Amino acid sequence: MRKLYLLRHAKSSYEDGLPDFERRLAPRGIADIKALSPHLFRILPDDLTMYCSLAKRTQQTLQYYLDYADMKWTNVNYKNSLYTFNGRDLEKVIRSFNDDGNDALVVGHNEALTELVQKFDSNFTEHIPTSGFLELELDKDSWAEFTKVKVTLKLFPKDIR
């Protein structure tokens, strides 16, 4: 079965007065990443394809995770279409992934992430917090054809504090 990993960006700062797209990470967000990164990179496979929103906070989240884990992955795709807060829009992006590729990590935003998971896994009723990570198992091997997902692992900052 194909796996999809979802990572919500770390806590961002509102202090700079920047537009939403340009907001940077807050110190708490960076601390959460530092605490979670050893756990996260024991879970993720080496041959992962990563997709990241072009928003500043998602790019920083991914880069900090890679830096803290001392990982140098080259298979990162930055997509403006992942800068969405709508689950249906996120679903369209995921369904467009190439089936010839590997399992995927999406670094994105809420409410899109939570809406997507709740649509395809009726047992998942939680809200994905900042820095929240989920491992999902799809019921099909095709990105375009999955009809259900099962949350097989969740890792939230509160789980390691």
Side-chain angles (χ1 to χ4, degrees), residues 22-136:
E22 295 297 324
R23 286 192 351 240
R24 296 179 180 94
L25 294 183
R28 186 185 109 199
I30 296 168
D32 285 345
I33 293 170
K34 192 171 186 176
L36 286 166
S37 63
H39 304 283
L40 191 64
F41 283 96
R42 275 184 268 163
I43 297 164
L44 294 173
D46 291 336
D47 60 347
L48 188 65
T49 302
M50 293 180 276
Y51 298 90
C52 185
S53 162
L54 283 173
K56 184 73 167 180
R57 62 190 177 275
T58 52
Q59 291 184 58
Q60 285 184 315
T61 296
L62 180 57
Q63 191 57 57
Y64 274 111
Y65 271 114
L66 295 173
D67 289 349
Y68 284 133
D70 198 27
M71 304 288 286
K72 302 294 182 238
W73 279 332
T74 57
N75 205 2
V76 180
N77 301 280
Y78 295 96
K79 293 183 162 286
N80 195 46
S81 56
L82 288 173
Y83 180 67
T84 182
F85 307 97
N86 182 290
R88 278 183 255 156
D89 292 342
L90 177 59
E91 178 185 343
K92 288 177 191 172
V93 175
I94 292 168
R95 289 189 183 280
S96 73
F97 292 171
N98 184 340
D99 283 337
D100 294 337
N102 304 315
D103 291 339
L105 167 71
V106 172
V107 184
H109 308 270
N110 244 8
E111 288 299 308
L113 295 172
T114 295
E115 286 177 6
L116 177 86
V117 177
Q118 289 177 348
K119 176 179 178 179
F120 292 102
D121 183 344
S122 60
N123 294 319
F124 186 81
T125 58
E126 298 177 68
H127 175 85
I128 302 171
T130 54
S131 298
F133 171 82
L134 295 175
E135 176 186 81
L136 309 175

